[in-house]
Amino acid sequence: MEAAVAMPKKGSRLIIVDDAVYRWRVRHKRDRGDGWTPLRFTVELAEEPGSVLVVTLPCARPDNWRGERTITVRPLLVGNCVRRAVEQGWRPGRSCTLDVTEDELAALLGEPPRYLIPFLWGMIPEGGGIEDLPRCTQIWSRDNGTG
């Protein structure tokens, strides 16, 4: 369990969940050295900072260099994770962790996850191709005579 320290306000967003105002933000990268860093976000009550909920998702951060799949953290997911943590006993004055499994992710999102795969020029939807990169410039090899 991490120490009860207020999360930085810079880069955080406000969200209202069941009449309570929270702040949330995606955690900064902490690389384990092998390129895999799980996607995490933190949440705390806006008026009572210091009781931080740390949510770990079953996918990588978008800036991972291994090409592991990721998702976009959206307010719907944040709100549902807050509700789940409160149901499991998260209260003001206590820090808490919530490890979301692959099976739980779809229920928290309200739909199957839409994974993205980091690629040299951006993100590709899982199962997609280069045509899914709208701002991409295709680079041709000099060997094939087209570039």
Side-chain angles (χ1 to χ4, degrees):
M1 178 105 25
E2 297 190 19
V5 177
M7 69 180 199
K9 287 186 179 181
K10 185 176 181 178
S12 69
R13 298 177 180 183
L14 292 176
I15 185 171
I16 299 172
V17 180
D18 300 333
D19 298 324
V21 180
Y22 296 89
R23 287 186 312 112
W24 69 278
R25 70 191 296 262
V26 174
R27 297 282 302 246
H28 285 288
K29 183 175 184 177
R30 287 191 179 154
D31 193 345
R32 300 183 319 195
D34 62 358
W36 167 257
T37 303
L39 181 54
R40 291 188 176 109
F41 63 89
T42 54
V43 183
E44 71 180 358
L45 281 166
E47 299 302 319
E48 298 180 47
S51 301
V52 178
L53 167 65
V54 179
V55 179
T56 302
L57 300 173
C59 50
R61 290 180 49 85
D63 55 0
N64 81 87
W65 54 267
R66 291 175 52 181
E68 299 285 338
R69 66 186 185 173
T70 188
I71 63 170
T72 302
V73 178
R74 299 182 191 275
L76 175 68
L77 176 61
V78 174
N80 287 335
C81 287
V82 168
R83 286 183 189 93
R84 166 105 19 114
V86 169
E87 289 169 5
Q88 294 178 358
W90 181 44
R91 302 282 179 262
R94 295 179 52 199
S95 290
C96 180
T97 59
L98 180 66
D99 294 322
V100 176
T101 67
E102 190 77 32
D103 293 336
E104 296 170 322
L105 188 56
L108 291 167
L109 288 169
E111 63 184 11
R114 295 182 189 155
Y115 290 109
L116 300 168
I117 309 296
F119 188 68
L120 181 61
W121 301 297
M123 294 284 187
I124 297 175
E126 187 174 43
I130 201 162
E131 67 277 0
D132 295 308
L133 291 171
R135 294 186 305 270
C136 170
T137 302
Q138 192 165 3
I139 299 173
W140 295 97
S141 166
R142 292 178 190 216
D143 297 334
N144 67 8
T146 60

